Amino acid sequence: MDALDKHLLNLLQTDFPLEAEPFRAVAEKLGISEDEVLRRISSLKDEGVIRRIGAVLDSARLGFASRLCAARVPEERVPLFVGRVNVLPGVTHNYGRSHACNIWFTLIAPSEEELEGTIERLSQETGIENIMTFRAARTFKIDAKFLFDEPPPEEETPPAQEREGRPSTPS
């Protein structure tokens, strides 16, 4: 990754334009062509740096049900189980852990009934019983950003007082 890729990633995470041609607007901010922006995004996606570009929404406020799920999956059945979990449309994360419950994933569904039905079908399809589900008591991390050490171009860097949430005062 070069410095321009890093600036592009920062911009995609912190200041993605909500307009009809967002990648053209990104290109203008970076001083490159829209084709170059799309080429760089495609390359970063191919390299596994970018998984997806999309909004972070509050599923509960939209009326959806969500759960953190955990399962004890015998090692020889992990590929089957993980493969089934990964194709579920409401799965946002799926990861293995060194724990008795070795597969953990998050699941979002339009309703409690659909969420429970999805877990039941997953259990039936994989033979993994007792998939535990946990309701969130509070949010610890949301809208994570992975910013790079390289600062944005100088004209975009706000004065220190603004960065700290205080208005600038004349000296």
Side-chain angles (χ1 to χ4, degrees):
M1 271 193 307
D2 64 14
L4 192 54
D5 284 337
K6 291 176 181 180
H7 289 308
L8 173 61
L9 290 172
N10 285 346
L11 185 61
L12 293 176
Q13 294 180 88
T14 62
D15 195 22
F16 192 81
L18 298 176
E19 53 188 74
E21 295 180 332
F23 298 107
R24 181 169 299 197
V26 167
E28 288 172 7
K29 286 183 181 184
L30 294 175
I32 59 177
S33 71
E34 182 178 18
D35 286 342
E36 179 67 8
V37 165
L38 295 171
R39 187 196 64 73
R40 285 176 178 269
I41 289 172
S42 179
S43 178
L44 291 166
K45 190 168 183 180
D46 290 345
E47 293 170 19
V49 173
I50 295 175
R51 285 189 302 179
R52 65 180 288 278
I53 297 175
V56 176
L57 305 174
D58 187 331
S59 58
R61 286 190 181 206
L62 294 170
F64 284 71
S66 66
R67 298 286 181 282
L68 173 63
C69 305
R72 293 180 178 166
V73 182
E75 202 59 41
E76 68 275 5
R77 293 169 70 194
V78 166
L80 168 71
F81 187 80
V82 168
R84 297 290 167 99
V85 168
N86 285 345
V87 299
L88 294 173
V91 170
T92 60
H93 298 81
N94 182 15
Y95 50 96
R97 291 186 63 194
S98 296
H99 184 271
C101 293
N102 55 334
I103 304 295
W104 291 70
F105 58 97
T106 57
L107 178 63
I108 300 172
S111 68
E112 293 290 336
E113 295 75 25
E114 283 194 54
L115 190 139
E116 291 170 12
T118 298
I119 294 294
E120 181 60 33
R121 282 189 303 283
L122 178 62
S123 181
Q124 290 171 355
E125 291 173 2
T126 62
I128 302 300
E129 297 178 10
N130 195 22
I131 299 171
M132 295 177 277
T133 62
F134 305 94
R135 292 177 189 268
R138 70 183 167 146
T139 300
F140 289 93
K141 178 179 162 184
I142 191 71
D143 195 24
K145 291 178 180 64
F146 304 96
L147 300 179
F148 296 91
D149 292 332
E150 307 221 6
E154 218 166 288
E155 66 273 6
E156 293 181 19
T157 304
Q161 294 88 351
E162 284 182 38
R163 287 195 310 266
E164 295 171 12
R166 294 188 309 266
S168 297
T169 54
S171 3

